[in-house]
C-alpha cells in the first residue's frame, strides 16, 4: 500500500494503519533499532512503541510523502533512549563513541553545554549535508543517524572499511570548518 | 545542550536524506576483464595522457627518493621550470626512470586533475597518477589470503594508460578476509618487504584531535601492480590513491609521514617533538594558521617541513612560536 493511503488510515483512526505500516516497513524499522540496541527483543519493543507514537502523532502530522523517514525518526529516538535507560543493553560505549565523534565536529569541543541547542545544531548539520556529495552524505547519515557500524556502511556502499573511516574522518573535519564559518563557534 | 544529546541533533536533518541513506545501495560493478587482459597484452603502446601531479606528491620529502631526485637534477640540467615538487622520479623494479613531469599550461599544478580521456597523445614522459574515473566504485573488496585484487578504477586506469604512466596506489592488507590496520606492525613489516622488492613505498598518517589514519601507499608501474608479489599469509587490495581517499585536496591539520627502511613509529619520537606536532595539528585544525598549505613530517633527521603561502614576518613568527626550540620546523615559503 502506498504511503499516502497508509497515512490516510491513521488520519481516519483506522487500526489497519499499524498493520500496513508494519507490513511495509516493519523489517526496516527493526533493523534500524537493532543496529542501535543490538538486541532483537528490545528492537521489537521499540517497533511497537514506534507505531503507538505514530498513532498519537498522526494527526496532526501528515507524513504522506515521507512515512518511512517519519517512522525511522521515531524508532531511532526511542531506541537511543532505550539504550540510555537500560544499562543491561551494554550500549553505553557504542553511544559514547558516536557521541565523541560528533563532539569533534563542534567548535570549542568540551563546551557543548553552552547555548547551542540540538535543533539549531541539527539545522546547521542539515545545511552542511546539502553541500557534500551523495556518497559522503549517505555515509555520514548512516553513521550518525542510523548509528551503523563501519562494517555495515562498508557493505552498503561497496567500499572498504578504511575508505568509510577516511570519508567520515574528512567529513567531520569539513563539518567543523563549516560550523566555524557559519558562526557556530561557542 | 548536553554532550550526551549531540546525537539528537541528527533528528533535524531532512527526511529526503534519511530516505536517500536508506535506499542507497551501490553494487560493485564488475570490470570487463577481457578488455582488461587485452590491454595488458598491449602494454607499452597505450596512449600517454597529460595528467598533473598533486601537490601532495612530495617527492623531495621522501627520504628514500631524495638522492634519486638529486641525480635527476644532475642528469637533466637543461630542464627549466621544473621544481622538485613538479618533477617526478620513479624507482621501478630494478630500474630507475628519471623524467620530468610535463606542466600543463593554464592548469593549476597544485591541484590534481582527473584524467579526462581527451588529453594529448605522444608525450614521451612518465607520470604518476592517483585519480581516474571516480565514478567507478571499489569492486570486490573481499580479498583472500595469497591473492591480490585491484579496484575497478585502477584496472580501468591500467587498461587505458598501461605502462606509460606510473600509479600512486593505496595498499590494503587483509588477513583471513579482514583488513589489517595500516598502522599495525604487520603492515609496517609488509612495507619493508615490498620496499625490498623494489617498490617505492610511502607511509602516510593523517591525524586530527579525534583519530589517526594510516595509509600504506606505493608508487608503481603497471607491471609492478599486475605482478604484485604477495605474501601468502595476506590478501591485498590495491586502489588508486584519490579514489580511495575520496577527495584530492589536502586537509588542514593532516600530517604526512613518509616511510622507508628506517621508518620508526611516531611513539619513538621525542616527547618534545610529540607536543610540538600535536600543538601544530590543533592550530591547523581550528584554522589558526591559514597561511600553512602543507605539513610533512620527515625523518632522518626528524623534522616538520611546512609550506606556507606568505612571507609576512609576523605570520612566520607566529608559526615558529610553535617550535620554541627552533629545532624541528623547516618552513618553505612558496
Amino acid at each position: 500500500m502506498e504511503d499516502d493511503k497508509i497515512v490516510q488510515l491513521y488520519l481516519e483512526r483506522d487500526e489497519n494503519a499499524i498493520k500496513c505500516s508494519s507490513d511495509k516497513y516493519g523489517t526496516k524499522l527493526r533493523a534500524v533499532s537493532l543496529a542501535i540496541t543490538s538486541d532483537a527483543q528490545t528492537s521489537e519493543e521499540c517497533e511497537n512503541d514506534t507505531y503507538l507514537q505514530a498513532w498519537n502523532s498522526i494527526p496532526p502530522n501528515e507524513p504522506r510523502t515521507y512515512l518511512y523517514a517519519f517512522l525511522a525518526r521515531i524508532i531511532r529516538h526511542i531506541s537511543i533512549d532505550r539504550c540510555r535507560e537500560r544499562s543491561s543493553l551494554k550500549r553505553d560505549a557504542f553511544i559514547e563513541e558516536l557521541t565523541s565523534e560528533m563532539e569533534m565536529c563542534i567548535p570549542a569541543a568540551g563546551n557543548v553545554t553552552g547555548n547551542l541547542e540540538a535543533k539549531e545544531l541539527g539545522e546547521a548539520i542539515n545545511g552542511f549535508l546539502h553541500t557534500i556529495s551523495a556518497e559522503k552524505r549517505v555515509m555520514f547519515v548512516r553513521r550518525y543517524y542510523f548509528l551503523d557500524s563501519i562494517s555495515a556502511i562498508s557493505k552498503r556502499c561497496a567500499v572498504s572499511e578504511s575508505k568509510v573511516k577516511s570519508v567520515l574522518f574528512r567529513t567531520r573535519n569539513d563539518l567543523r570548518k563549516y560550523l566555524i564559518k557559519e558562526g557556530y563557534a561557542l | 545542550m548536553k554532550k550526551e544529546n549531540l546525537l539528537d541533533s541528527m533528528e533535524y536533518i531532512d527526511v529526503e536524506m534519511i530516505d536517500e541513506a536508506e535506499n542507497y545501495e551501490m553494487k560493485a560493478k564488475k570490470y570487463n576483464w577481457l578488455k582488461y587482459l587485452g590491454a595488458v597484452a598491449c602494454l607499452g603502446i597505450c596512449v600517454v595522457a597529460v595528467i598533473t601531479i598533486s601537490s601532495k606528491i612530495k617527492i623531495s620529502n621522501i627520504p628514500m627518493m631524495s638522492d634519486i631526485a638529486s641525480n635527476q637534477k644532475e642528469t637533466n640540467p637543461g630542464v627549466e621550470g621544473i621544481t622538485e615538487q613538479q618533477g617526478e622520479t620513479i624507482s621501478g623494479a630494478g630500474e630507475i626512470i628519471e623524467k620530468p613531469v610535463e606542466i600543463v599550461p593554464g592548469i593549476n599544478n597544485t591541484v590534481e586533475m582527473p584524467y579526462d580521456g581527451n588529453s594529448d597523445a605522444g608525450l614521451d614522459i612518465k607520470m604518476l597518477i592517483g585519480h581516474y574515473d571516480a565514478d567507478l566504485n571499489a569492486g570486490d573488496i573481499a580479498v583472500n589470503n595469497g591473492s591480490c585484487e585491484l579496484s575497478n578504477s585502477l584496472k580501468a586506469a591500467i587498461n587505458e594508460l598501461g605502462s606509460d604512466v606510473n600509479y600512486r596506489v593505496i595498499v590494503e592488507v587483509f588477513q583471513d578476509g579482514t583488513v589489517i590496520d595500516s598502522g599495525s606492525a604487520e603492515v609496517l613489516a609488509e612495507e619493508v618487504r615490498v620496499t625490498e622488492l623494489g617498490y617505492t613505498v610511502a607511509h602516510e598518517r593523517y591525524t586530527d584531535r579525534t583519530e589517526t589514519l594510516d595509509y600504506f601507499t606505493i608508487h608503481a608501474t603497471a607491471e609492478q601492480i599486475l605482478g604484485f608479489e604477495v605474501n601468502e599469509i595476506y590478501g591485498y587490495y590495491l586502489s588508486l590513491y584519490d579514489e580511495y581517499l575520496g577527495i584530492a585536496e589536502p586537509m588542514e591539520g593532516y600530517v604526512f609521514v613518509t616511510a622507508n627502511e628506517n621508518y620508526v613509529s611516531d611513539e619513538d619520537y621525542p616527547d618534545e617533538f610529540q607536543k610540538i606536532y600535536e600543538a601544530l595539528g590543533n592550530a591547523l585544525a581550528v584554522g589558526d594558521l591559514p597561511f600553512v598549505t602543507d605539513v610533512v613530517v620527515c625523518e632522518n633527521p626528524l623534522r616538520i617541513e611546512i609550506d606556507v603561502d606568505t612571507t609576512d614576518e609576523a605570520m612566520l613568527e607566529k608559526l615558529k612560536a610553535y617550535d620554541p626550540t627552533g629545532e624541528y620546523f623547516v618552513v618553505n615559503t612558496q
Side-chain angles (χ1 to χ4, degrees):
Chain A
M1 184 181 289
E2 292 179 2
D3 285 358
D4 184 41
K5 290 177 180 170
I6 298 174
V7 172
Q8 190 59 40
L9 292 175
Y10 277 105
L11 293 171
E12 293 169 359
R13 315 313 290 162
D14 183 338
E15 291 183 4
N16 281 324
I18 292 175
K19 183 178 185 308
C20 292
S21 299
S22 174
D23 289 347
K24 187 169 185 181
Y25 294 122
T27 306
K28 278 183 172 182
L29 293 172
R30 276 195 302 281
V32 169
S33 182
L34 190 60
I36 298 169
T37 63
S38 195
D39 184 82
Q41 188 179 339
T42 305
S43 66
E44 284 180 21
E45 292 170 15
C46 291
E47 183 194 356
N48 291 332
D49 289 353
T50 297
Y51 300 136
L52 177 62
Q53 194 164 324
W55 180 262
N56 291 332
S57 55
I58 306 174
N61 295 291
E62 292 189 28
R64 293 176 185 276
T65 57
Y66 57 93
L67 180 59
Y68 171 71
F70 183 81
L71 296 172
R73 184 176 283 168
I74 294 172
I75 200 166
R76 174 186 186 273
H77 190 91
I78 291 172
S79 301
I80 291 175
D81 278 353
R82 201 59 53 91
C83 288
R84 287 168 176 156
E85 291 162 8
R86 294 186 189 174
S87 57
S88 59
L89 288 173
K90 296 180 179 174
R91 299 295 281 168
D92 292 2
F94 176 64
I95 300 286
E96 173 65 25
E97 178 190 344
L98 289 173
T99 302
S100 294
E101 287 180 14
M102 284 286 289
E103 188 186 14
M104 291 307 153
C105 303
I106 312 302
N111 188 29
V112 289
T113 53
N115 297 324
L116 198 57
E117 294 298 329
K119 185 177 181 184
E120 190 183 357
L121 177 62
E123 287 170 351
I125 291 172
N126 194 56
F128 166 75
L129 291 174
H130 278 290
T131 69
I132 62 178
S133 70
E135 185 185 47
K136 290 177 189 168
R137 184 166 57 241
V138 165
M139 288 186 193
F140 192 90
V141 173
R142 293 301 322 180
R143 181 66 172 166
Y144 301 112
Y145 188 88
F146 290 101
L147 311 194
D148 277 0
S149 66
I150 298 292
S151 171
I153 299 171
S154 161
K155 289 188 178 79
R156 178 179 288 270
C157 298
V159 297
S160 68
E161 290 185 23
S162 298
K163 176 170 180 178
V164 175
K165 287 182 187 174
S166 297
V167 170
L168 290 173
F169 181 81
R170 290 184 173 223
T171 306
R172 288 199 304 270
N173 276 287
D174 287 345
L175 172 57
R176 179 182 171 79
K177 284 192 283 186
Y178 177 89
L179 292 175
I180 291 173
K181 187 180 168 189
E182 295 294 313
Y184 287 96
L186 298 177
Chain B
M1 177 180 51
K2 293 180 181 177
K3 170 189 168 184
E4 291 74 25
N5 299 119
L6 273 173
L7 286 174
D8 296 345
S9 61
M10 287 295 289
E11 289 182 12
Y12 297 93
I13 65 171
D14 289 347
V15 291
E16 291 82 6
M17 293 180 190
I18 299 169
D19 281 334
E20 177 186 51
E22 183 58 37
N23 298 319
Y24 189 91
E25 211 160 321
M26 187 180 275
K27 299 291 184 191
K29 298 173 190 170
K30 291 293 181 187
Y31 195 74
N32 185 340
W33 270 91
L34 288 175
K35 184 181 176 185
Y36 171 57
L37 290 171
V40 173
C42 297
L43 281 177
I45 57 171
C46 292
V47 172
V48 179
V50 175
I51 297 170
T52 58
I53 302 300
S54 165
S55 64
K56 291 190 292 178
I57 302 172
K58 298 289 242 182
I59 297 306
S60 60
N61 287 319
I62 300 177
M64 64 186 294
M65 298 179 72
S66 57
D67 291 341
I68 303 170
S70 299
N71 293 338
Q72 179 192 4
K73 283 183 175 176
E74 291 170 11
T75 54
N76 296 298
V79 177
E80 294 181 356
I82 305 295
T83 66
E84 279 185 295
Q85 187 170 326
Q86 292 160 335
E88 182 57 277
T89 307
I90 299 299
S91 173
E95 62 171 345
I96 295 175
I97 304 156
E98 299 177 359
K99 290 178 181 177
V101 169
E102 180 74 2
I103 304 303
V104 184
I107 293 180
N108 179 356
N109 288 295
T110 64
V111 177
E112 185 165 31
M113 303 295 290
Y115 173 61
D116 62 10
N118 298 312
S119 299
D120 296 339
L123 294 173
D124 184 22
I125 56 173
K126 204 84 164 178
M127 290 166 290
L128 186 68
I129 68 161
H131 184 111
Y132 181 92
D133 193 352
D135 290 337
L136 288 174
N137 59 27
D140 188 357
I141 53 174
V143 186
N144 297 321
N145 293 351
S147 64
C148 176
E149 298 286 343
L150 275 53
S151 75
N152 285 328
S153 286
L154 180 56
K155 289 173 190 171
I158 290 176
N159 181 21
E160 178 73 23
L161 305 171
S163 59
D164 291 321
V165 298
N166 292 305
Y167 302 87
R168 192 179 191 207
V169 169
I170 298 274
V171 180
E172 285 183 86
V173 182
F174 290 73
Q175 190 161 45
D176 301 329
T178 302
V179 69
I180 303 175
D181 180 5
S182 291
S184 67
E186 291 90 342
V187 172
L188 295 180
E190 274 300 287
E191 291 180 352
V192 172
R193 183 185 72 85
V194 171
T195 298
E196 289 169 355
L197 291 172
Y199 288 80
T200 297
V201 176
H203 184 100
E204 296 187 15
R205 175 170 297 148
Y206 295 97
T207 184
D208 66 2
R209 299 175 306 148
T210 59
E211 65 177 313
T212 298
L213 300 176
D214 286 88
Y215 298 103
F216 170 12
T217 75
I218 59 173
H219 300 174
T221 64
E223 291 86 347
Q224 284 181 309
I225 293 168
L226 296 172
F228 191 83
E229 194 173 321
V230 302
N231 181 340
E232 291 297 328
I233 63 170
Y234 297 126
Y236 302 83
Y237 183 76
L238 275 53
S239 56
L240 279 168
Y241 183 84
D242 284 325
E243 160 198 5
Y244 181 92
L245 292 178
I247 54 174
E249 67 269 24
M251 287 280 296
E252 289 176 5
Y254 279 55
V255 177
F256 177 90
V257 179
T258 58
N260 60 7
E261 59 278 319
N262 297 318
Y263 179 84
V264 291
S265 164
D266 63 353
E267 292 176 0
D268 299 326
Y269 293 166
D271 288 345
E272 177 185 60
F273 181 87
Q274 301 265 28
K275 288 177 184 171
I276 291 171
Y277 168 101
E278 185 178 345
L280 178 63
N282 288 340
L284 292 169
V286 299
D288 274 357
L289 302 169
F291 49 91
V292 172
T293 57
D294 205 0
V295 175
V296 182
V297 172
C298 300
E299 296 168 353
N300 308 312
L302 184 60
R303 64 195 187 280
I304 304 175
E305 300 251 0
I306 303 169
D307 290 349
V308 297
D309 61 4
T310 182
T311 54
D312 185 290
E313 286 296 330
M315 290 184 181
L316 295 177
E317 285 304 317
K318 182 180 177 184
L319 171 63
K320 288 174 182 172
Y322 285 91
D323 179 18
T325 65
E327 189 179 342
Y328 296 115
F329 281 9
V330 177
V331 179
N332 306 309
T333 54
Q334 296 172 338

